[in-house]
Amino acid sequence: MWPFVGRTRELQDVMSALTEPNGNGAALVGPAGVGKSRLADEVVARLEQTGFTVRRCYATVATSPIPFGALAAMLPADMRTANPLGRAVEQLLAEPQPLAIVVDDAHLLDDASIALLHHVIREGHARVLVTSRPGETTELWQEGLLQRYPLGDLSRAESDELLERALEGPVDSRSSTLLWSGSAGNPLYLRELVVSGRALGSLRAVNGIWSWHGAIELGGRLGELVQENLGRLEPSHRLALELLAYSEPVELDLLASLVREEALDDLETRALIQVESSGRRTVVRLGHPLYGSLLRATCPALRAQAHQRALAAGLEATGARRREDLMRIATWRLDGGSPISLDLLAAAAEQAWAAQDVALAERLCRAAVEAGGLGRVGHVFGEVLMYGRAPHEAEAILADVMRGSLSPADLGRLGATRSLNLYFGLGDADAAAAVLDAVDVPDLPVDLRDWLRVVRILEAAQRGPVTSVLESSYLPVAPHLSVSLRRIRATCFLHAGRYREVEEETSACEAEALALDDEPAVWPDTSASRLRCFALAFSGRLSEAESLALKMYDKSFDELDFTGTTSLYSLLSFCARMRGHGSQALRLAREACPRTPDNHLIFDTIGLASLASSAALCGDAELAWDALARAEEARRPAWRLTGTTVSLARSWVFAAAGDVRGAADAAMAAADECAELGVHSCEAMALHDAARFGVDTSLRLAALTSTMDDPMTSAYAAHATALAHASPTVLEATATDFLRLGATLYAAEALASAARLHRTQDNVRAASQASARQALLMRDFDGVRTPVLRADGLTHLTRRQVEVARLATSGLTNQQIAEKLHTSKRTVDNHLHAIYGVLGVTGRDELRTVLGPR
């Protein structure tokens, strides 16, 4: 039996209808598969726990013509009497009381069973719960005898929860979205998708996360269920549904031009199609997403091609007025085997790329190449391949095209794309610069010359330092390129920790992009929102950052759009770490990582660094070291600013292994690296980490607050200053500041440090109060382990004693601890002797028990 998810309110209401003195019972009404029987299972279990005798019956098509057929299991074997109804009632009265009768599929009940239930309810002999399909004639609730409770499909959140509880593990968002789209919230369809997916190997766990691989295939029980819901179809009905299977959502007027209007009316009445308004047009969809999968799987190939040729011709006849129409016509012509011009392929490929449909853009580009149009689509194809994790193929194709006889303008456009691929796809800065130099010749069109200058600035933004890039970004260019420069400036301001200016630039950027709606998109549309998310999070507005990120999270990202998925999940993972939600942070970080070990792109370093930090925070040193090694491998010298995320993660990997001194050194090295590049946002984080590891960074952080006036950096500085001055009262005030910002992890650490200092100052009451506040904050923590919090039970030890204790429990000898801490073995011996005395333990085994798992 699958887990029971959602339906909390319905369960309470049904239990009340069955158990309250004036209640008769309830009817659960809903379409097939929404979980009526599953909810009934839960009700039965609770009724039995409260002392009810429960008799459960199942109505079927086979029992419908048989008197008392559905209820036969709870009635006497011999019903051949003059008064069978009375005989049945006698049997029920002999049952232990209180009695509850539960009937599944009550719309299939025979007349005698309905009469018996009528009598039982009216006379109060038993409470009755039935399940039924909507629209069926069932007098039990139509006459008011039972309270009717309609059940619909699960929400997206409920569906995701059910999926993860059933699989007993997390599911990546792409797969959960696919399963949500396939099931449309129907629990039965979701279950059968999971069962068939696991049986076929399409749904399997990779690195602890469940993922769906390939397309949904309707086989076995799932296919039977979908076919049963479709029922028998007339030829005109099947034609309409098959056309929809290859086109939904499609305009009503286009579909009506290909099928009879009466057929559409019938299908809408049977809920096999949905007609809805979308802006200024009316579109038609299939009643359920799985209908399309079944119809495509069962449609003969020649008929499927004919359908798509008809759709293309029909859309062309209407004038193809909408922006996406060229993509649709090109796709239908390709699939339908119709002739297609190179002009149409090239235009459709550009539209697909502008719409961020990477898979379709690649398909259209390859079709154009096969038609001899590589020169026409080379600039689009290069970007598509880079985003599709094939930068080497992109370089080979672009280099081949540029060896042909092309105009300087064509060479310039291709050269810009090739340079971006060399830099951001392959990490080859020298080759990228050489290509730009070769194509940047006199007499180029002004727009193209401006674009080459923007590309140079974009690549320089990865080399740094930030200040010099900002200075070069204020140059006059064409309006659509001004949008790109604003995004570059916003990125630089984010690195520099100038978060207010990030907001100003992204707002201006979005306004300009909206005014230039007809211009080709150079960056993905969501980039400005992602920059704003990071600025909100880094500046201490965590709730706002999460709210905006979750809105973007709900949108369907192409799995190949590494700029979108990686940075979005890394941001949400960062927020989860700040709140002490370790397991959630680790899960999100896993999704930010590349699914393949090859062809690492620039944003893969961010995802892998996020995984290393999250694993370290959860105490999984092995995973943290592995993720860090992969991040180092993915990192390229050309990607200097993005590479700082790897340096930040390195310190936490040391901390996960119990090497706090190594963690402190790594944090300081990261801070120095960031300072050299002008990446003050990460410099502030690294300095704060170093302070948490025992280094006095208060002066450097205080200096940063003169240029970074955000509340989070100020809280970092206050925390470091309080630690350096060993001031427990200031630490408690800092904890309040962190808590106000949403950084619950830092607040708990500040209170742990305050409690330790209060105890060293013999202020037991203040220490207890700080510890109580800390414990209250940590109630919602999940799997978080930091050096300060691991010492939570050891706040009466000095910082060095805690460090020695951790290293001792990690398996190191005293001599090895001495070498790691750059001290003598005798000093380590003395520390351990003092630790044993304070804690009342006699050796490392007992010490390990006190410290708990690392």
Side-chain angles (χ1 to χ4, degrees):
M1 184 179 293
W2 262 36
F4 181 73
V5 170
R7 315 297 194 198
T8 304
R9 178 62 181 273
E10 292 90 340
L11 178 59
Q12 294 173 348
D13 290 343
V14 171
M15 284 297 298
S16 296
L18 288 165
T19 58
E20 288 182 353
N22 297 326
N24 293 325
L28 302 176
V29 184
V34 296
K36 302 185 295 295
S37 296
R38 186 65 184 86
L39 177 55
D41 293 338
E42 292 296 313
V43 173
V44 167
R46 283 163 173 74
L47 286 173
E48 291 176 338
Q49 290 173 0
T50 57
F52 270 80
T53 298
V54 180
R55 296 291 179 254
R56 191 156 189 183
C57 307
Y58 302 88
T60 65
V61 174
T63 63
S64 294
I66 305 172
F68 301 108
L71 308 182
M74 66 176 189
L75 298 179
D78 185 9
M79 293 285 289
R80 291 177 295 179
T81 67
N83 183 14
L85 181 60
R87 180 78 175 90
V89 172
E90 289 177 8
Q91 177 69 22
L92 293 178
L93 290 176
E95 293 279 3
Q97 297 294 319
L99 174 65
I101 301 173
V102 180
V103 183
D104 281 282
D105 293 329
H107 55 281
L108 299 176
L109 282 172
D110 58 277
D111 291 340
S113 295
I114 292 176
L116 176 58
L117 292 177
H118 263 273
H119 182 79
V120 166
I121 296 171
R122 290 185 185 279
E123 298 301 323
H125 296 322
R127 303 299 171 89
V128 175
L129 171 65
V130 301
T131 70
S132 180
R133 299 276 183 92
E136 304 287 348
T137 301
T138 306
E139 296 87 346
L140 296 174
W141 67 77
Q142 288 183 346
E143 296 179 10
L145 296 178
L146 298 179
Q147 181 66 44
R148 183 177 186 272
Y149 295 100
L151 290 186
D153 293 317
L154 296 176
S155 67
R156 172 63 190 272
E158 290 170 337
S159 177
D160 289 350
E161 182 185 355
L162 175 60
L163 188 61
E164 296 198 358
R165 287 180 58 185
L167 292 171
E168 298 182 344
V171 182
D172 72 63
S173 63
R174 185 192 64 83
S175 300
S176 63
T177 298
L178 179 67
L179 290 168
W180 161 254
S181 300
S183 67
N186 185 291
L188 180 59
Y189 282 160
L190 180 62
R191 174 175 178 154
E192 294 302 329
L193 279 170
V194 169
V195 170
S196 64
R198 295 187 68 174
L200 296 171
S202 301
L203 182 61
R204 56 184 184 269
V206 178
N207 295 326
I209 296 183
W210 289 91
S211 300
W212 188 282
H213 303 264
I216 290 178
E217 297 181 13
L218 294 186
R221 175 63 177 154
L222 179 60
E224 294 173 2
L225 286 170
V226 177
Q227 184 61 63
E228 180 183 330
N229 279 352
L230 280 174
R232 297 187 61 181
L233 297 172
E234 299 293 332
S236 60
H237 294 167
R238 180 170 290 279
L239 171 62
L241 292 177
E242 286 180 349
L243 286 168
L244 268 175
Y246 291 101
S247 64
E248 67 169 332
V250 69
E251 295 79 4
L252 176 60
D253 55 356
L254 173 56
L255 187 60
S257 70
L258 302 174
V259 297
R260 292 189 300 107
E261 186 174 345
E262 295 82 1
L264 297 179
D265 291 340
D266 292 344
L267 292 171
E268 185 180 15
T269 301
R270 293 172 57 185
L272 295 181
I273 65 172
Q274 299 174 0
V275 181
E276 56 191 46
S277 296
S278 177
R280 290 177 293 179
R281 60 177 181 155
T282 302
V283 297
V284 186
R285 300 177 185 270
L286 289 167
H288 194 281
L290 290 182
Y291 294 166
S293 300
L294 180 66
L295 291 162
R296 289 189 295 272
T298 56
C299 184
L302 292 178
R303 194 161 76 209
Q305 289 184 330
H307 289 333
Q308 292 174 95
R309 288 195 297 269
L311 286 164
L315 184 56
E316 287 174 322
T318 66
R321 297 180 296 272
R322 281 170 290 275
R323 180 178 299 179
E324 68 274 14
D325 285 349
L326 290 182
M327 292 186 292
R328 298 160 74 195
I329 292 172
T331 302
W332 288 332
R333 282 193 167 276
L334 283 176
D335 291 338
S338 300
I340 183 169
S341 69
L342 181 58
D343 288 341
L344 176 58
L345 283 171
E350 290 189 0
Q351 282 192 353
W353 179 237
Q356 301 180 58
D357 191 335
V358 180
L360 178 58
E362 180 177 356
R363 183 187 180 200
L364 294 170
C365 284
R366 290 193 184 279
V369 171
E370 290 177 5
L374 179 57
R376 294 284 303 277
V377 297
H379 62 293
V380 175
F381 201 15
E383 290 187 71
V384 168
L385 290 172
M386 181 178 74
Y387 273 66
R389 295 190 174 281
H392 292 284
E393 183 182 358
E395 165 58 14
I397 287 174
L398 289 168
D400 183 53
V401 176
M402 292 181 69
R403 282 192 287 267
S405 178
L406 299 172
S407 68
D410 288 338
L411 279 172
R413 279 188 288 272
L414 289 166
T417 301
R418 185 180 176 191
S419 179
L420 288 169
N421 179 66
L422 285 165
Y423 198 100
F424 294 102
L426 298 175
D428 192 338
D430 293 337
V435 167
L436 287 179
D437 291 340
V439 300
D440 195 359
V441 297
D443 301 325
L444 287 176
V446 174
D447 281 9
L448 181 54
R449 183 177 295 280
D450 285 348
W451 173 230
L452 294 179
R453 295 167 70 188
V454 170
V455 171
R456 291 184 190 277
I457 297 171
L458 182 59
E459 293 172 0
Q462 268 299 313
R463 294 191 299 271
V466 170
T467 303
S468 63
V469 177
L470 272 173
E471 292 173 355
S472 65
S473 69
Y474 290 95
L475 57 92
V477 292
H480 66 277
L481 296 179
S482 174
V483 173
S484 298
L485 283 180
R486 284 195 180 278
R487 290 192 175 101
I488 294 172
R489 281 201 295 276
T491 304
C492 290
F493 285 138
L494 177 66
H495 287 314
R498 294 160 62 176
Y499 304 121
R500 292 181 182 176
E501 287 159 293
V502 174
E503 174 62 31
E504 292 170 2
E505 288 293 341
T506 53
S507 296
C509 174
E510 289 171 338
E512 288 186 11
L514 188 62
L516 297 168
D517 186 50
D518 293 332
E519 293 288 342
V522 178
W523 285 55
D525 294 337
T526 55
S527 58
S529 294
R530 289 197 299 273
L531 289 170
R532 185 179 291 118
C533 278
F534 277 98
L536 290 170
F538 290 175
S539 64
R541 297 159 67 182
L542 280 185
S543 295
E544 293 177 64
E546 288 171 319
S547 177
L548 178 57
L550 287 172
K551 288 180 183 177
M552 299 168 64
Y553 179 91
D554 288 337
K555 295 180 181 178
S556 179
F557 284 98
D558 190 303
E559 64 176 316
L560 299 178
D561 178 11
F562 62 88
T563 63
T565 54
T566 298
S567 55
L568 180 65
Y569 290 128
S570 297
L571 170 70
L572 289 170
S573 180
F574 170 83
C575 292
R577 292 199 299 271
M578 298 279 274
R579 295 193 183 280
H581 300 159
S583 297
Q584 181 184 3
L586 185 55
R587 172 188 171 179
L588 290 163
R590 285 183 187 274
E591 294 208 35
C593 291
R595 291 183 170 84
T596 58
D598 303 322
N599 295 333
H600 284 141
L601 302 174
I602 183 169
F603 287 94
D604 290 338
T605 58
I606 299 175
L608 290 166
S610 178
L611 178 59
S613 297
S614 299
L617 187 67
C618 292
D620 192 339
E622 182 178 355
L623 176 58
W625 280 113
D626 176 71
L628 181 64
R630 292 170 61 197
E632 294 284 12
E633 181 183 356
R635 187 178 185 177
R636 301 285 185 273
W639 306 337
R640 295 184 68 194
L641 267 68
T642 298
T644 57
T645 59
V646 182
S647 301
L648 278 172
R650 187 180 297 112
S651 64
W652 279 101
V653 177
F654 278 107
D659 186 358
V660 181
R661 174 60 64 86
D665 292 343
M668 289 305 299
D672 293 341
E673 176 188 346
C674 292
E676 179 185 352
L677 295 171
V679 186
H680 300 312
S681 56
C682 291
E683 180 189 1
M685 295 178 197
L687 290 171
H688 183 234
D689 286 343
R692 295 160 68 196
F693 297 141
V695 181
D696 181 2
T697 60
S698 56
L699 293 179
R700 282 185 63 174
L701 278 168
L704 283 177
T705 59
S706 63
T707 57
M708 298 171 63
D709 58 356
D710 62 282
M712 185 64 81
T713 303
S714 298
Y716 289 161
H719 191 191
T721 301
L723 288 171
H725 295 167
S727 174
T729 54
V730 177
L731 282 167
E732 291 181 273
T734 302
T736 301
D737 292 338
F738 277 133
L739 188 59
R740 187 180 299 114
L741 300 175
T744 319
L745 176 64
Y746 298 158
E749 286 192 356
L751 289 170
S753 298
R756 180 183 62 81
L757 289 170
H758 278 310
R759 285 194 177 92
T760 60
Q761 297 170 8
D762 294 326
N763 193 341
V764 177
R765 181 177 180 182
S768 298
Q769 290 174 341
S771 294
R773 287 182 61 195
Q774 177 197 347
L776 188 63
L777 292 183
M778 292 181 64
R779 286 186 306 178
D780 295 330
F781 282 16
D782 181 15
V784 170
R785 296 169 188 160
T786 71
V788 175
L789 297 181
R790 281 203 298 264
D792 183 29
L794 310 176
T795 53
H796 40 300
L797 298 180
T798 67
R799 184 184 292 269
R800 176 49 64 93
Q801 286 174 335
V802 171
E803 190 172 10
V804 170
R806 289 200 202 97
L807 292 173
T809 58
S810 70
L812 297 181
T813 66
N814 288 10
Q815 181 61 46
Q816 290 171 325
I817 295 173
E819 293 172 357
K820 185 171 285 291
L821 298 181
H822 307 291
T823 188
S824 68
K825 178 178 176 298
R826 179 181 295 274
T827 300
V828 174
D829 294 339
N830 292 336
H831 278 311
L832 281 174
H833 181 73
I835 291 167
Y836 295 160
V838 170
L839 299 179
V841 299
T842 58
R844 296 193 181 209
D845 289 340
E846 292 184 18
L847 177 61
R848 193 173 289 109
T849 301
V850 172
L851 277 174
R854 287 186 299 112

